[in-house]
Amino acid sequence: MSWRVNQFNYSRRPSIEIAIGEVKLGGNQPVRVQSMANTDTNNIDGSVDQCIRIAEAGGEIVRFTTQGVREAESLQQIHTALREKGCLTPLVADIHFNANAADVVAKYVEKVRINPGNYVGSIKIGDTSDYTDQEFETEYQKIRARFIPFLNICKEYHTAVRIGVNHGSLSERMMNRYGDTSQGMVESCMEFLRICGEQDFQNVVISLKTSNTVMMVQTVRLLVEEMEKQDMHYPLHLGVTEAGDGEDGRIKSAVGIGALLADGIGDTIRVSLSEEPEAEIPVAMQLVSYINQRIHHPTIRGEESPLLSKFEYLKRKTNTVQNIGGENTPVVFITKDGGFETVPDFLINGNAVKNSLGENSTVYDVDQLFDLLSDTSEMKFLRLHFEQLTYEVLDFLKANSNIVILLNTNHINGVGEQRAFFHALLNAGCEVPVIICRKYNENDLQLLQIKAAADLGVLLIDGFGDGVFIENEGDIPIEAVNSVAFGILQAARVRITKTEFISCPGCGRTMFNLQTVIARIKARTSHLKGLKIGIMGCIVNGPGEMADADYGYVGAGRGKVSLYKKKTCIERNIPEDEAVEKLIELIKAYGDWHE
């Protein structure tokens, strides 16, 4: 069952099949889509109604927050009420901090999600000294002693388990030993998996989530490699935490989840949007459907380069051609002018290219190399497909350092074909800068967001591409197409051009009306380009998932908010009606505000 990612030809990672109630997951099953309720779990009627809406939208699994034993008992009532209404959707209990609640609820629902970061308390709370090997082992034995009885309950009641590691809530023990790293997340998961193996418990699915798309992709890839080494083949749940809402949330989710699906990794996905949970389902379904089009595609004959790192971001080294390549941030091309909020770097019309200064360049085809050579411009463009990249063309590109490639593809697996092009350049030592070009024919903006983000995001995360060119022949305004292009660059963390809002999707733990607060904060701060603001409903993952945010707004209790600068809490328990103004005052106090 040994498997590794094929960089060019899509093949799905083989995993074992597990049962979540009547829903089968992994193996030859389709990629399942799911969501999480944002109701108070103790609100039985409201929770039942929302679960039915999610199921009617196509959600195959629904998760509920389960803070304690009371919520566990409420979830039993929700489960009973749903079955009486004919809704057979499997339910998942989401557990943080309360292993006792996990034991209780495992008897009532089809799956329990536990977080290794807070499943049991630390033996060194508040102690910043390094763990000795003995202390590290002592805490592991504490985890093991608490986890095994839970697994025995799950065996008895045929309950599945999700081991869900969140970047924002790694345990003190893992942070102390591995730091804030992918390795720490992987090891946090692996030690729980090893216990499952010892206890012959196989009904397990895994997730490793973070709001950083690059880290999320690299961490899951690292986990898959580690599991392959240890002959583990558990199914994987994919998601980007705190993706946000609107266009940003859709693009960020499609970049992170789409990159792993393109690798053939993933058995179920959850798109986390700061909107009503049923709005997540169509996005997830469209993303899965789009990736599935690559199944049984025509073979792409590429040669993988040993220079690519799947576990760290290394931008491909390229020539500097004016403002493209080298140390420049990736540029954006667009087909016509418009009322752009963020001005694109180049306008392209047929074979004519104009930069933001009004300077003109020409695009050539591969049969016009003599004409290109005669062009004395400082920047010129060559339009290429992978099959046109012959040894002669490679030699030509290596001999001429003022050329920029416009890389096109018509392949059903365009990601694989464009990857093969970049690997060929790496293998040949050719440092020509490349603009990743993709053409669509969409009238639905959400579909364009999802498809373009899934196609371009994975290449950018892999360190490929000196710019992007999205061309859409459908009925979508050019301003919206331009916004998608810049949104993808931001989601892949290669060019920041607007305020980034890291906001959770909300759940029963959320301490305020998330959508209303996000709208209020966006209205006041969206002009602060390049600033990252975290908006979190509660403290479970809040401070951790917004660790790379500049400022944080976190629910501390009913009607109370705490404000953060980076990971440091600056003000606690501010009345909610004062919190947005206090946030602005905090941004001003640190010199990051401008009108």
Side-chain angles (χ1 to χ4, degrees), residues 437-473:
C437 307
R438 293 303 299 253
K439 184 177 289 188
Y440 304 95
N441 187 5
E442 300 297 336
N443 297 317
D444 181 339
L445 178 57
Q446 178 170 284
L447 266 175
L448 179 65
Q449 292 163 347
I450 292 166
K451 290 183 176 183
D455 288 336
L456 300 173
V458 62
L459 297 171
L460 295 166
I461 285 173
D462 284 346
F464 297 142
D466 300 281
V468 297
F469 174 28
I470 299 172
E471 191 173 1
N472 185 60
E473 296 179 347

Side-chain angles (χ1 to χ4, degrees), residues 118-234:
N118 51 41
Y119 185 67
V120 300
S122 169
I123 64 172
K124 288 168 68 73
I125 297 174
D127 185 348
T128 59
S129 63
D130 288 343
Y131 274 74
T132 65
D133 289 344
Q134 183 175 351
E135 288 171 332
F136 197 83
E137 177 63 20
T138 297
E139 193 158 305
Y140 170 71
Q141 292 301 331
K142 180 182 176 183
I143 290 168
R144 192 173 182 279
R146 188 65 191 83
F147 188 46
I148 290 174
F150 166 69
L151 291 181
N152 289 333
I153 295 170
C154 292
K155 284 181 184 179
E156 181 181 353
Y157 288 87
H158 306 289
T159 307
V161 174
R162 170 151 74 97
I163 298 171
V165 180
N166 276 16
H167 180 219
S169 53
L170 276 179
S171 68
E172 291 183 40
R173 173 170 165 267
M174 287 295 165
M175 287 286 287
N176 188 283
R177 178 64 60 95
Y178 297 101
D180 192 11
T181 64
S182 294
Q183 187 181 2
M185 293 181 68
V186 169
E187 183 53 35
S188 183
C189 177
M190 289 301 298
E191 65 179 14
F192 274 72
L193 287 180
R194 284 190 283 269
I195 298 170
C196 291
E198 292 168 9
Q199 300 300 310
D200 194 28
F201 186 86
Q202 298 294 308
N203 209 23
V204 177
V205 58
I206 310 152
S207 66
L208 275 69
K209 295 189 179 183
T210 170
S211 63
N212 180 326
T213 54
V214 179
M215 184 178 187
M216 173 257 192
V217 170
Q218 292 167 350
T219 302
V220 174
R221 288 173 175 171
L222 186 63
L223 173 70
V224 168
E225 179 161 287
E226 186 61 33
M227 285 201 299
E228 288 295 321
K229 288 178 183 175
Q230 301 194 30
D231 197 28
M232 294 180 178
H233 309 283
Y234 299 106

Side-chain angles (χ1 to χ4, degrees), residues 9-37:
N9 297 289
Y10 176 82
S11 67
R12 190 156 158 216
R13 168 184 169 264
S15 62
I16 61 173
E17 183 179 283
I18 71 167
I20 305 172
E22 296 301 312
V23 172
K24 306 300 182 187
L25 179 66
N28 294 319
Q29 299 296 327
V31 175
R32 304 294 186 181
V33 298
Q34 58 180 283
S35 184
M36 182 174 184

Side-chain angles (χ1 to χ4, degrees), residues 61 72 144 200 221 246 280 297 334 372 394-395 399 413-414 452 475 523 527 530 565 584:
I61 302 167
R144 192 173 182 279
D200 194 28
R221 288 173 175 171
E280 299 176 349
H297 65 72
I334 208 75
L372 185 153
L394 276 167
D395 288 340
N413 183 10
D475 187 23
H527 66 290
K565 176 72 172 90
I584 292 168

Side-chain angles (χ1 to χ4, degrees), residues 539-564:
I539 63 168
V540 169
N541 294 316
E545 288 297 352
M546 65 178 196
D548 64 347
D550 300 290
Y551 297 92
Y553 181 110
V554 180
R558 294 297 171 191
K560 300 291 183 182
V561 172
S562 292
L563 299 179
Y564 286 72

